[in-house]
Amino acid sequence: MHSETAYEITTIPLQPSPTHGAMLPHEIPPGVQLVTLPGGIRTLAYTQPPAVPAPQPIPVAAPIPTWAKTTALLTPTIGGGVAAAGIGLSYAAPGLIAMSQALWAAVALIAAGAIALPLLLGIGRRSTGRAAPARITQNITATGLFGKATGTINHH
């Protein structure tokens, strides 16, 4: 077990005596106070200074990041743009519907023309009263791999 050395506390009498003089209150150094011990003896002792709470730090406002400022400034602009586009589309809706119907009508006309035009041209050629077109036959003959080719054309 651990043994501690006992120290004897000696006190300075506060009453004047032939060997010791009494200390006046202004002579007591800082951090030393007059204390009364449990046995009733009054003495000077070092005391702990009262704990002074640390001052609360003053909150400092953090600077706002640049991206946050930019986003905050652009938000109303973007919202206003979307609102203006919505209003514009609502005013333009009847015209857009009419244009889409006109475009579909144009597509249908082009498709009908692509189908009808060859039919009309075929009917128009037959109805002119001409004779059937002449038949042309061609006979080509050649002798050998690199021989000269000769041919005849017959009109019927």
Side-chain angles (χ1 to χ4, degrees), residues 76-137:
T77 305
I78 293 170
V82 169
I87 291 170
L89 285 175
S90 70
Y91 284 126
L96 291 174
I97 292 170
M99 281 194 307
S100 69
Q101 290 176 352
L103 285 173
W104 280 115
V107 168
L109 181 65
I110 291 170
I115 293 171
L117 186 62
L119 293 175
L120 290 175
L121 289 176
I123 292 172
R125 284 185 188 163
R126 288 187 200 123
S127 65
T128 57
R130 286 196 220 162
R135 290 183 49 191
I136 300 172
T137 59

Side-chain angles (χ1 to χ4, degrees), residues 25-49:
H26 70 277
E27 295 175 339
I28 298 175
V32 176
Q33 290 184 349
L34 180 64
V35 295
T36 304
L37 298 174
I41 301 172
R42 295 181 69 187
T43 184
L44 295 175
Y46 288 104
T47 58
Q48 295 290 333

